Amino acid sequence: MSAPYRLKTAGLTINLRQEGNGPPLLFLGGSNFDLSINTAVFDSRLPEHFTVAAADPRGLGATEAPDGDWSMADYARDALDLLDALAWERVDVLGESFGAMVAMHLAAMAPQRVQRLALAAGSAGGAGGSSYPVQKILAIDDAHLRASTALEILDTRFKSLRTSSPAEAESLVRARMAADERFLNSQDNIHGYPRLLAARAGHDAWDLLPTISVPTLVFCGLHDAQAPPQRAENIVKAMPDATLHRIDGGHSHCFASSEAVDIILSQWLG
């Protein structure tokens, strides 16, 4: 297992990790992606077939947090600068949640650098519909209520679980509270996270989608209320070469089971 390291790019110093062998694959993680905590992409089968690179977004983990306001275009440029620093000319890109939004902007900004796209739990914004505003959850003062609200939005089945198995539901809330605390106490995430969410709130790639012609796999969780399935359906309708895959899961469906990764491997390597 390789350790994360910091790499100076044209824009800022980025903390990243590379793992695996094979063609290059850039993974763009969610709005709370921190390499010191999130390892799901490296624990999947993807590094068995690709050289996977994933980085802390600006403001999170050990990646720099420049002054000023940030935009989704800034995050796309960060990804492009990272590809330049790695000397990766053309790559496959997998974006999850916030990372799927960034991937849309990246593919529109530098179409010659993206070979194929996979978008999981993302929304186009604008007329295509936005994801749930996570900053509303962050604004909840009570940690228990904040965690339970997040779980209800991440997976619509959680409400019924609280009735059918309250002890199990409470265990999940406590685990979410611990995860939230760990994330906000990591590096300077407590300050960088609200700034990232402010950029996320301005996400609108709807008018860009018709210009993205690369083959694209779009994944949605059937029980996802953060990026509901309709958002994925809208993305597929707007893109020239996109196919929809519905997963029996919530917002974290990309790695909660092997189904999405199996589809990526079969479609891209089959």
Side-chain angles (χ1 to χ4, degrees), residues 10 22 24 33 86 178 195 211 225 231:
F33 187 76
L86 292 172
R195 297 176 67 191
T211 72
R231 304 293 186 266

Side-chain angles (χ1 to χ4, degrees), residues 166-217:
E168 182 181 355
E170 180 62 20
S171 178
L172 291 175
V173 171
R174 295 293 175 180
R176 176 74 189 195
M177 290 172 63
D180 287 347
E181 183 177 10
R182 183 183 179 193
F183 169 73
L184 291 175
N185 289 335
S186 175
Q187 301 288 333
D188 197 33
N189 291 352
I190 195 168
H191 295 113
Y193 189 44
R195 297 176 67 191
L196 179 151
L197 293 180
R200 178 185 181 276
H203 167 65
D204 184 356
W206 179 247
D207 291 337
L208 302 176
L209 296 187
T211 72
I212 302 173
S213 58
V214 298
T216 303
L217 303 173

Side-chain angles (χ1 to χ4, degrees), residues 101 104 122-132 203-206 209 226-228 230-232 234-235:
M101 303 177 195
M104 297 174 201
S123 298
S130 299
S131 293
Y132 184 88
H203 167 65
D204 184 356
W206 179 247
L209 296 187
Q226 181 165 316
Q230 182 62 51
R231 304 293 186 266
N234 292 342
I235 291 171

